Amino acid sequence: MRLIVTLLLLLFIAGGVVLGALNADLVGYDLAFARVQVPKGAALLSVLALGWVLGGLTAWLGVTTRHRRERRHSAKAQGAKVPKTS
């Protein structure tokens, strides 16, 4: 299993390198407070990584919120004191 994960990781790294090399021309972004010029490949990979992180964070928060709600509901059903979490 570890070998498969390592091979997939190397495949995606190689794909990222190829993507960056094929999209080397600069693209300008005006962010209202700064102008940035970055290669197309770097911009694409950065936005892809940002979307991956934000999607993972959203999924994690949704799961932990659901577990907290289920714990609270089962504690009320058993008549136990519900611990207050922030």
Side-chain angles (χ1 to χ4, degrees), residues 5 31 33 37 53-54 65-66 68 71:
V5 171
L31 304 173
F33 55 86
Q37 288 208 345
V53 168
L54 290 176
T65 304
R66 187 183 77 218
R68 192 177 304 134
R71 237 186 359 242

Side-chain angles (χ1 to χ4, degrees), residues 5-85:
V5 171
T6 304
L7 289 175
L8 279 173
L9 182 63
L10 289 174
L11 178 73
F12 280 105
I13 289 173
V17 169
V18 169
L19 184 76
L22 292 176
N23 294 299
D25 40 331
L26 294 177
V27 176
Y29 294 100
D30 186 5
L31 304 173
F33 55 86
R35 282 187 58 84
V36 180
Q37 288 208 345
V38 294
K40 273 195 249 181
L44 181 63
L45 290 175
S46 299
V47 170
L48 179 70
L50 180 66
W52 180 72
V53 168
L54 290 176
L57 181 65
T58 302
W60 178 73
L61 287 173
V63 168
T64 57
T65 304
R66 187 183 77 218
H67 283 292
R68 192 177 304 134
R69 186 174 46 244
E70 288 173 357
R71 237 186 359 242
R72 194 176 325 126
H73 180 67
S74 66
K76 280 184 183 179
Q78 294 175 355
K81 184 178 178 184
V82 179
K84 189 162 189 160
T85 59

